[in-house]
Amino acid sequence: MDKSHVIFGNKIPEKAVKKAEKSKAKYVKKHGDDSKKEYHLSLKPIPTLSHLGVENLILSESPLSLPEKAVVVGNIRMGFGHYRISIAIASCAKALGYTPVWMDLASFDATGSKMIRDQNNLYSLASKISQKSKLFNALVWEPLNSEGFRKITYNAADQKNSELLAPLYHDLPRDVPFVATHAWPAQGAVHAGLTHVVNAIPDNWPMALHLAEGAIHVVQTPRAYFGYKCLDGFDKKPLKGMPETDIKRVGHYVDHELVANIEEDCAARIRRREEDKPMRILLSVGGAGAGEKQFLAMLRHLLPLTKEGKVSLFLNLGDHKEMYDKLTKKLPDLSSATKFFNQYEELVRFCEKEEDVKGLYLIENDDIFEAVYSTNLLMRKVDLLVTKPSELVFYPVPKVFQRHIGGHEVYGGIYGEQLGDATYECGDARSMNRMLDTLLEDKVLYESLCHRIVELKKQGVYDGGYEAVKLAVKGK
């Protein structure tokens, strides 16, 4: 099923098509041709997500038997963002009475999976380099993330490469509800002939990178809807837009557990501020492990406030233990923090307690699911989340935005600021620390973020995960 020559009625230049074909041929040459292979799958529970009943798809010798009312969540690990969105979709599927089935396309021993891992390794490396080299960031990384991935010709290459993923879908019923949290799983599902595919698009900057023609595309924001509907800026010349049936604005993809407890959690935050309790601040390291300088500057500013009892500080290192080693060399005080290193169950119990928390807490988990979900657990417990404007832009917790990593994140920061549940993007250490001080001192300003989150819930802004699942079940 060729999707590279014509995309939403727009003919792709032959030069771009040939480049796409060469890209696919390169991966076949490197990893082998398994297009005729019949992969079989089986189910294995994911312990960290057992409360959601999530079953993980793994390779098997015998054909797959899916549970009744299964919803497959197709994803890849690229940073933490796509996993985080996938967990949100799984949580909403569970809340709606379905069994979420996890399908990480990068996790298999297959040609398409190896292709994804190759590209992910390059993305992660470039992300880290961009934080160390201003020249690389300005000349390569920012333009690629904001404009390079935006071009419709880029989608032609991805569509051709994603043909390599089709064999992995062999065991899935053609009409199984399938929600993809990255374009590659969505593209692979369409190439494999699945008919109920939803492509859950992240971010707030429309890019052809995220197109998967044949799927229902869902977006979180008005800007994203307008940009994808018109395919605006995807080529130098005007393009035919997407059909009405192919693009829907559904709201933010957020876990059911977070959405259902918004009023309770925001009331607790306001109460703590009124009682002058230490402000609970969560710093979250992203999946690529970048941003060391930013975290170092914030920690230097916040550690004295932690000792004074004005702040209770949480640092989730994700699965990047090396970040702890680097930071501790510069800030030896970190070594005396309360640590939850590969102690996920202890962290779960800690987050369930209602008691006051004081001091400094460090969290690190080698397991990817524990690394990602630790931030979900902590979001309900903290007063303020400090994050780059990535997928966490869309979560119902008061947020301070640190500098973006990748030009596409800029527009998520702008959206969050305008929505009213977050600050503007603080581009350097000075503006970041000033913003933290302001929110510590100005209760009215801080509480306005909490009140806005409650208002947004009433408007259905955080219901995107539920709506994506419903669309997948219904199909086109």
Side-chain angles (χ1 to χ4, degrees), residues 215-217 229 242-248 476:
I216 301 172
H217 298 67
K229 186 73 173 66
M242 294 175 65
E244 181 180 338
T245 55
D246 285 29
I247 177 75
K248 308 288 183 183
K476 282 190 178 181

Side-chain angles (χ1 to χ4, degrees), residues 333-346:
D333 284 354
L334 293 181
S335 60
S336 62
T338 300
K339 301 182 184 66
F340 294 96
F341 285 6
N342 291 313
Q343 295 174 300
Y344 181 76
E345 293 303 323
E346 288 84 348

Side-chain angles (χ1 to χ4, degrees), residues 52-306:
L52 302 178
V54 179
E55 298 277 354
N56 189 25
L57 288 175
I58 60 174
L59 290 178
S60 173
E61 296 297 324
S62 55
L64 172 69
S65 177
L66 278 176
E68 188 178 356
K69 295 187 70 175
V71 171
V72 181
V73 184
N75 58 73
I76 64 170
R77 174 175 179 176
M78 181 170 281
F80 286 165
H82 299 285
Y83 258 36
R84 192 178 307 286
I85 296 170
S86 298
I87 294 172
I89 298 296
S91 173
C92 292
K94 174 69 172 177
L96 292 172
Y98 298 94
T99 299
V101 175
W102 191 271
M103 187 179 191
D104 180 351
L105 271 293
S107 68
F108 302 108
D109 185 19
T111 295
S113 301
K114 294 171 184 175
M115 176 269 295
I116 291 174
R117 293 198 291 269
D118 285 351
Q119 295 205 33
N120 187 29
N121 289 338
L122 285 173
Y123 187 91
S124 180
L125 176 62
S127 180
K128 291 178 181 178
I129 293 174
S130 73
Q131 297 301 292
K132 297 178 180 179
S133 169
K134 291 183 179 180
L135 189 64
F136 177 83
N137 189 55
L139 298 181
V140 178
W141 194 236
E142 289 273 359
L144 179 63
N145 273 276
S146 58
E147 294 298 334
F149 293 151
R150 194 181 184 194
K151 302 306 179 188
I152 198 165
T153 50
Y154 192 93
N155 186 248
D158 269 358
Q159 283 282 13
K160 186 57 64 175
N161 286 333
S162 68
E163 293 175 3
L164 299 172
L165 299 169
L168 290 166
Y169 296 79
H170 177 271
D171 275 4
L172 296 183
R174 301 303 92 174
D175 61 350
V176 67
F178 189 97
V179 181
T181 60
H182 187 283
W184 292 336
Q187 292 164 2
V190 172
H191 284 302
L194 270 64
T195 59
H196 285 54
V197 182
V198 165
N199 178 24
I201 296 175
D203 300 329
N204 189 38
W205 177 240
M207 297 188 288
L209 164 72
H210 294 305
L211 296 177
E213 187 174 5
I216 301 172
H217 298 67
V218 296
V219 296
Q220 303 180 86
T221 72
R223 178 194 178 97
Y225 177 80
F226 193 93
Y228 284 106
K229 186 73 173 66
C230 302
L231 299 183
D232 184 41
F234 286 27
D235 195 73
K236 292 181 179 178
K237 64 178 186 298
L239 298 174
K240 295 179 182 178
M242 294 175 65
E244 181 180 338
T245 55
D246 285 29
I247 177 75
K248 308 288 183 183
R249 180 165 70 92
V250 295
H252 301 185
Y253 318 130
V254 181
D255 311 63
H256 170 72
E257 300 91 316
L258 295 173
V259 177
N261 290 288
I262 281 175
E263 291 89 351
E264 177 186 341
D265 293 343
C266 283
R269 290 172 183 131
I270 292 172
R271 187 167 57 251
R272 285 193 290 270
R273 295 309 300 136
E274 291 176 345
E275 294 175 356
D276 289 320
K277 297 289 181 65
M279 177 175 272
R280 303 173 180 184
I281 299 177
L282 168 60
L283 312 182
S284 180
V285 176
E292 177 188 339
K293 290 183 179 179
Q294 296 183 59
F295 285 104
L296 190 61
M298 285 187 289
L299 288 167
R300 281 177 171 153
H301 182 73
L302 291 172
L303 281 175
L305 298 175
T306 303

Side-chain angles (χ1 to χ4, degrees), residues 41-56:
L41 304 170
S42 62
L43 297 168
K44 181 180 180 181
I46 300 175
T48 307
L49 304 180
S50 60
H51 62 295
L52 302 178
V54 179
E55 298 277 354
N56 189 25

